[in-house]
Amino acid sequence: MQRPWVIAWILITALAACRQPLPAQSERKLGADSLPQRNEMVMNDKDLSDALHRLSSEHGADRQHAIGWLCDHPVASRPALRTFFEPLENEWPAAAAMKALECIADPADVALIDSVLASGKLCFEASMALARNPSGSALTALLLRSDDPRTEVARTAIGGLGARGDESVRPKLEQLLGNKGYEVRWATVLAIDALGPNASRAALQKCLSTEKDKDIRHKIQEVLAH
Amino acid sequence: MIPQPKVNAPQPAVARDNAAPQTQGPTLAAPAFQLTASAASPIQKSAVPSIKKGGGSRVIVAGDTLMDLSKKIYGSIRYFNQIKAANPGKNMVVGDVYAIPEIDIPVGTALRDQKGNDKGLRDVAVAISPADYEVYRHNLSDEENQKDGEFLQLVDIMRSTGMTMDEMGEEQKSFMETKAKADNKSVGEYIAGDVSKRGYGGGSTAQWDALSPAKKADYAKRFKAIVKKIEKEAPDSIKEVIKESKSHGGGFIWEPADVEKNGAFAYTSMDWSLHAGVKFLEAVEADIAAAYPSIAHEMGGHNEYGNSQGFDVFNVALSKMPKAEQDKATAGGNSTYSAYGYMETEIWAELREDEFDSSSNHTDRPFVATAKSAPDVKHQLEAIKSTFAPKIAEALVRSIFKRAKDDDRVTADAYIKFRKDIVAVFSINI
């Protein structure tokens, strides 16, 4: 069980992150929440617009290569990528834009990514982008969203917690094993598996003895057998 | 010198009023047969252009048979009876001099007789005058144009370049070698670089894998329901695509993991099916019209187009390289098709999709540029231009254009926009 002050701290930090104005590229601070300088390859506006345009391609290769290019040129691409969510109009290219932001992993994008997750759209992509982001505020956002009453938001945020691989979330995940929502419990078992199940053996064993759903029981047995 | 028709054929009408006929002539040496006059009046379905083959005589050597002679001289065994009839009383004795009758062979028959014979097909293809060729193409039914579209395209490419497939492979090889040299790479390294930039090695299925069995089952159930709805409510032209797909054993396939792995909204494996996943389902549940561009594009366009001619040329070029270079070229694990074959078939798919394109199109749009999406046809034309030797690139594009002109499944509007894009990218008169 989380202590009340921990939950309060998480909420306050997350709200502060959400309220922060989105910093322009030039305003990015150096420090723990900033990316190391990248050595961007020679590029021009056409390269950038080509890559942005290919995010809407039906062809996986085009999108994948565009994401790779944008990730390699974060200074130029970040402002443009953010416009895909301001507002979010077409989920197909926006999903690819989110993958590019995931790859760039700039802490200054956490508030934007969290706002997408909070909107209930592109939940998986946004959660994975938060999972990949080194910022503490990304972790805070995932923790907050893992308690969201909307199943899709909560279950993807929980997936993000597992993918992040941060041991500090283990107690929270173990707590979520007792959640009343089937989808949440399912996502939690997978998240614990991703985090490494050994340290949660006791919690999983306990859950196995009380879990009523056979699919989840089966999944726990699979995870414990690893 | 290229043989000319004995009588000037009339300027043929073309399938669409806005299209000028392709007027490039062949460039190779004359093949060993003559053309006859074809139509002497405005084009009618009855005007059948033909090629004269045969004439003269031949001394029989050991092993000759009537069927062999027929095949060698006319391109098919079906004329052996005419040879026999022209040589009464003779019995294929070595040293016999056989008269070889001159036979008018319809252009279409002469071309089809050479299917699979690279040089033979090129020789016939380039021997047909532009006017006769237009008459021949004009006479083809919609069904023939659709059924033989791929073959006719190859004939068009041979007519444009004057080359056999083997010669095109040689040209493409030289082109890639020159590019490689400019980049200070071996040709295998150059191709590998191209493939790594534009080819595709596959993605992950993380999103699908994270779903619970109940959620997966729910999606599958919803997919069945949405397919029923599409089949009931789709416009007639989409229903036609679905009907055609089913006649080839295709249909709608729920394959969310593979779709995610391919990074696709929906895709086809050239199996006349549309493979769909979660993104497609959710978009179509929100608006059923979101399905139509994908159905026309994947289920229709890519499958109707068939093999990519450019990919065939690339593979011939690759086969002419030393084994070590071939190995380097394909070592990366990405698909060479994505880099060398996809563009043509994608253009066709976009041409088919255009009829259902709108501002709510989820994926990229055939001709419309938006702030976040470039017109895909132009993009693919640019890719063809940079990927293939200039002569081959132009021939490929001309052949797609002609195929689009003759296939009534491509709307006149799409065809006109396609033409504009070709002119813009290639600066050619078409």
Side-chain angles (χ1 to χ4, degrees), chain A residues 121-138:
Chain A
K121 291 178 178 173
L122 299 179
C123 294
F124 178 83
E125 289 85 352
S127 293
M128 288 302 122
L130 291 173
R132 176 88 185 263
N133 198 291
S135 163
S137 56

Side-chain angles (χ1 to χ4, degrees), chain A residues 32-36 38 64 67-68 70-72 74 96-110 113-114 117 123-142 156-166, chain B residues 204:
Chain A
D33 263 11
S34 292
L35 285 174
R38 296 197 192 207
Q64 205 56 43
I67 291 167
L70 292 162
C71 183
D72 287 339
M98 185 61 82
K99 283 184 190 294
L101 288 180
E102 175 189 328
C103 178
I104 292 168
D106 193 318
D109 290 326
V110 167
I113 297 168
D114 181 47
L117 177 57
C123 294
F124 178 83
E125 289 85 352
S127 293
M128 288 302 122
L130 291 173
R132 176 88 185 263
N133 198 291
S135 163
S137 56
L139 175 59
T140 305
L142 284 171
T156 52
I158 292 164
L161 289 174
R164 194 172 170 96
D166 186 329
Chain B
S204 86

Side-chain angles (χ1 to χ4, degrees), chain B residues 47-60:
Chain B
V48 179
S50 59
I51 287 178
K52 269 196 194 310
K53 281 190 168 186
S57 61
R58 176 149 182 151
V59 179
I60 301 303

Side-chain angles (χ1 to χ4, degrees), chain A residues 54 56 58 65 83 125 183, chain B residues 197 199 212 279 364 376:
Chain A
R54 300 323 298 161
S56 59
E58 292 101 343
H65 292 302
T83 67
E125 289 85 352
E183 294 293 343
Chain B
K197 273 187 281 175
S212 68
K279 299 281 186 205
D364 49 6
D376 197 31

Side-chain angles (χ1 to χ4, degrees), chain B residues 123-146:
Chain B
D123 287 349
V124 174
V126 300
I128 307 164
S129 74
D132 269 0
Y133 190 63
E134 284 300 328
V135 174
Y136 159 63
R137 293 296 294 264
H138 177 80
N139 284 350
L140 293 176
S141 66
D142 289 343
E143 194 184 21
E144 286 170 317
N145 271 318
Q146 290 174 12

Side-chain angles (χ1 to χ4, degrees), chain A residues 10-213:
Chain A
I10 289 166
L11 283 171
I12 290 163
T13 318
L15 284 171
C18 288
R19 284 184 177 183
Q20 251 182 352
L22 302 173
Q25 183 68 30
S26 58
E27 293 168 356
R28 288 173 58 207
K29 293 177 291 181
L30 287 174
D33 263 11
S34 292
L35 285 174
Q37 285 228 321
R38 296 197 192 207
N39 182 20
E40 295 209 359
M41 288 177 278
V42 176
M43 56 151 290
N44 57 42
D45 288 349
K46 189 174 182 308
D47 292 333
L48 176 62
S49 65
D50 281 351
L52 292 168
H53 288 154
R54 300 323 298 161
L55 294 179
S56 59
S57 173
E58 292 101 343
H59 191 43
D62 274 349
R63 294 176 93 222
Q64 205 56 43
H65 292 302
I67 291 167
W69 190 94
L70 292 162
C71 183
D72 287 339
H73 300 83
V75 173
S77 68
R78 271 191 61 245
L81 287 168
R82 294 172 63 93
T83 67
F84 281 79
F85 309 98
E86 297 169 335
L88 199 170
E89 286 169 340
N90 185 341
E91 289 193 28
W92 180 245
M98 185 61 82
K99 283 184 190 294
L101 288 180
E102 175 189 328
C103 178
I104 292 168
D106 193 318
D109 290 326
V110 167
L112 175 76
I113 297 168
D114 181 47
S115 72
V116 174
L117 177 57
S119 76
K121 291 178 178 173
L122 299 179
C123 294
F124 178 83
E125 289 85 352
S127 293
M128 288 302 122
L130 291 173
R132 176 88 185 263
N133 198 291
S135 163
S137 56
L139 175 59
T140 305
L142 284 171
L143 284 166
L144 176 72
R145 302 301 169 202
S146 68
D147 285 327
D148 197 286
R150 293 163 296 175
T151 303
E152 191 63 9
V153 175
R155 74 164 192 88
T156 52
I158 292 164
L161 289 174
R164 194 172 170 96
D166 186 329
E167 272 298 324
S168 71
V169 304
R170 193 178 290 280
K172 173 68 178 170
L173 290 176
E174 290 180 358
Q175 176 213 333
L176 286 166
L177 282 173
N179 190 284
K180 62 180 179 184
Y182 159 83
E183 294 293 343
V184 168
R185 296 200 307 282
W186 175 269
T188 304
V189 175
L190 294 192
I192 289 175
D193 190 28
L195 193 59
N198 279 340
S200 295
R201 280 193 166 271
L204 287 168
Q205 292 282 10
K206 186 182 167 197
C207 181
L208 190 58
S209 65
T210 55
E211 176 60 55
K212 287 181 182 166
D213 183 85

Side-chain angles (χ1 to χ4, degrees), chain B residues 106-425:
Chain B
V107 162
T109 307
L111 287 170
R112 277 194 301 276
D113 283 347
Q114 300 300 332
K115 263 188 181 176
N117 176 358
D118 190 26
K119 187 175 180 307
L121 182 62
R122 186 278 312 272
D123 287 349
V124 174
V126 300
I128 307 164
S129 74
D132 269 0
Y133 190 63
E134 284 300 328
V135 174
Y136 159 63
R137 293 296 294 264
H138 177 80
N139 284 350
L140 293 176
S141 66
D142 289 343
E143 194 184 21
E144 286 170 317
N145 271 318
Q146 290 174 12
K147 188 165 93 27
D148 291 334
E150 207 176 308
F151 173 67
L152 293 168
Q153 221 183 327
L154 175 59
V155 172
D156 283 341
I157 292 168
M158 288 177 158
R159 284 173 58 75
S160 284
T161 59
M163 292 175 176
T164 61
M165 183 55 85
D166 191 68
E167 288 163 346
M168 285 187 262
E170 195 62 54
E171 176 95 353
Q172 179 65 15
K173 174 174 166 272
S174 277
F175 172 78
M176 293 191 291
E177 282 168 346
T178 306
K179 287 242 188 185
K181 203 172 172 186
D183 286 359
N184 211 17
K185 290 177 180 170
S186 77
V187 70
E189 289 164 350
Y190 167 79
I191 294 169
D194 218 14
V195 171
S196 77
K197 273 187 281 175
R198 299 191 293 132
Y200 190 48
S204 86
T205 58
Q207 194 161 356
W208 179 252
D209 293 344
L211 297 178
S212 68
K215 189 92 177 160
K216 286 179 179 174
D218 176 57
Y219 272 129
K221 196 175 159 191
R222 284 159 57 187
F223 183 69
K224 275 187 183 171
I226 207 71
V227 167
K228 271 190 184 172
K229 192 173 180 199
I230 291 168
E231 289 180 338
K232 192 177 170 193
E233 295 180 16
D236 288 346
S237 51
I238 287 294
K239 282 181 179 162
E240 272 303 308
V241 173
I242 296 169
K243 192 175 157 193
E244 171 83 2
S245 148
K246 287 188 173 173
S247 76
H248 292 280
F252 294 90
I253 298 180
W254 177 240
E255 215 154 46
D258 274 355
V259 169
E260 186 185 340
K261 192 174 179 182
N262 283 308
F265 185 68
Y267 76 91
T268 183
S269 298
M270 305 305 283
D271 54 358
W272 289 93
S273 290
L274 181 139
H275 300 242
V278 171
K279 299 281 186 205
F280 175 88
L281 172 62
E282 289 178 344
V284 177
E285 281 179 333
D287 174 11
I288 192 166
Y292 307 150
S294 290
I295 293 170
H297 184 112
E298 308 291 351
M299 197 180 255
H302 280 298
N303 287 289
E304 291 159 7
Y305 190 80
N307 284 335
S308 159
Q309 307 286 342
F311 194 49
D312 289 348
V313 172
F314 166 76
N315 280 323
V316 173
L318 190 65
S319 72
K320 289 173 175 291
M321 294 171 194
K323 176 79 170 54
E325 292 303 312
Q326 291 182 31
D327 290 345
K328 279 185 206 166
T330 54
N334 279 5
S335 149
T336 52
Y337 179 82
S338 285
Y340 291 91
Y342 169 74
M343 299 88 86
E344 274 170 67
T345 172
E346 178 66 5
I347 286 174
W348 190 264
E350 291 287 10
L351 290 174
R352 294 286 279 115
E353 178 182 334
D354 187 59
E355 185 180 350
F356 305 97
D357 181 47
S358 73
S359 59
S360 61
N361 197 338
H362 283 253
T363 56
D364 49 6
R365 302 181 65 185
F367 297 102
V368 178
T370 69
K372 290 171 183 148
S373 170
D376 197 31
V377 170
K378 206 171 200 175
H379 175 76
Q380 302 302 339
L381 285 170
E382 283 163 352
I384 288 176
K385 190 177 179 185
S386 65
T387 302
F388 290 99
K391 199 172 184 179
I392 293 165
E394 188 179 319
L396 283 174
V397 166
R398 284 186 184 278
S399 75
I400 305 168
F401 177 73
K402 187 160 181 62
R403 188 168 168 184
K405 188 182 80 175
D406 290 342
D407 191 321
D408 63 356
R409 292 172 299 189
V410 174
T411 65
D413 190 40
Y415 164 75
I416 290 164
K417 289 184 276 191
F418 182 34
R419 183 184 201 173
K420 275 187 189 162
D421 279 357
I422 293 173
V423 171
V425 173

